C-alpha cells in the first residue's frame, strides 16, 4: 500500500514543467525539489520520469527501495495547486507471499518526505494518509 501526502501551494510553476508525454499531469517540479532534499539526506534518487498517473522517481536507501510519485491537474492550472505525493515501498514476490518487508506507518522515507513538505512555509493544507 502507499502512503499519500496531499498539500496545496503556489511554490511550483506547472506551466514551466516539461510536458508529460502520456497525460497532461504535472509533478516534475515537485519531484526535482524532493530529489534534491533526498540526495542531501543520503538517498540514491533517479531523475523524474513520466507515468500515466503523473511523474515518479525511484529512491533507494541501504536497506529499502521505493517509488515516489507526484501529480497535480495541470490542464487548467491556477497559482495555488493541489498536489499528491505517493510513496510505495518495493517488495519482492517472496516478501509479499511471506508478508515481510511491509511499509510501516513510521517508515523513515515517508517521515522524511513529510518533514520536508511540512517544513516549507509556502506549503499549506498538508494531509497524510498512511496505508501500511
Amino acid at each position: 500500500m502507499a502512503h499519500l501526502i496531499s498539500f496545496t501551494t503556489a511554490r511550483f510553476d506547472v506551466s514551466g514543467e516539461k510536458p508529460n508525454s502520456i497525460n497532461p499531469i504535472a509533478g516534475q517540479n515537485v519531484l526535482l525539489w524532493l530529489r534534491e532534499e533526498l540526495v542531501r539526506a543520503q538517498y540514491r534518487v533517479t531523475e523524474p520520469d513520466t507515468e500515466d498517473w503523473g511523474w515518479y522517481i525511484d529512491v533507494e536507501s541501504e536497506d529499502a527501495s521505493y517509488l515516489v510519485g507526484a501529480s497535480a491537474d495541470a490542464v487548467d492550472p491556477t497559482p495555488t495547486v493541489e498536489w499528491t505525493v505517493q510513496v510505495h515501498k518495493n517488495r519482492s514476490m517472496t516478501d509479499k507471499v511471506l508478508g515481510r518487508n511491509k511499509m510501516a506507518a513510521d517508515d523513515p522515507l515517508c517521515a522524511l518526505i513529510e518533514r520536508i513538505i511540512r517544513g516549507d512555509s509556502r506549503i499549506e493544507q498538508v494531509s497524510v494518509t498512511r496505508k501500511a
Side-chain angles (χ1 to χ4, degrees), residues 32-105:
L32 288 170
W33 169 63
L34 284 176
R35 181 183 187 281
E36 183 178 309
E37 297 294 326
L38 295 174
V39 166
R40 190 172 303 147
Q42 306 302 312
Y43 284 87
R44 292 179 302 281
V45 186
T46 63
E47 292 291 328
D49 203 357
T50 58
E51 185 50 83
D52 63 352
W53 44 260
W55 291 75
Y56 73 94
I57 52 177
D58 292 311
V59 180
E60 291 186 13
S61 67
E62 291 302 317
D63 57 352
S65 67
Y66 303 82
L67 180 138
V68 177
S71 59
D73 182 7
V75 174
D76 192 22
T78 60
T80 301
V81 175
E82 183 177 349
W83 295 93
T84 300
V85 172
Q86 53 184 299
V87 182
H88 300 265
K89 187 172 186 181
N90 296 325
R91 298 169 61 208
S92 70
M93 183 58 74
T94 303
D95 285 342
K96 291 176 184 178
V97 169
L98 298 176
R100 298 186 307 207
N101 200 26
K102 293 180 180 179
M103 178 144 35

Side-chain angles (χ1 to χ4, degrees), residues 98-118:
L98 298 176
R100 298 186 307 207
N101 200 26
K102 293 180 180 179
M103 178 144 35
D106 63 347
D107 183 87
L109 178 65
C110 293
L112 175 59
I113 292 172
E114 183 179 347
R115 279 193 310 275
I116 291 167
I117 290 170
R118 288 187 187 277

Side-chain angles (χ1 to χ4, degrees), residues 11-31:
R11 183 184 196 281
F12 306 104
D13 178 14
V14 296
S15 67
E17 280 198 13
K18 175 181 169 185
N20 182 323
S21 60
I22 303 168
N23 278 321
I25 301 172
Q28 180 188 35
N29 288 340
V30 169
L31 291 178

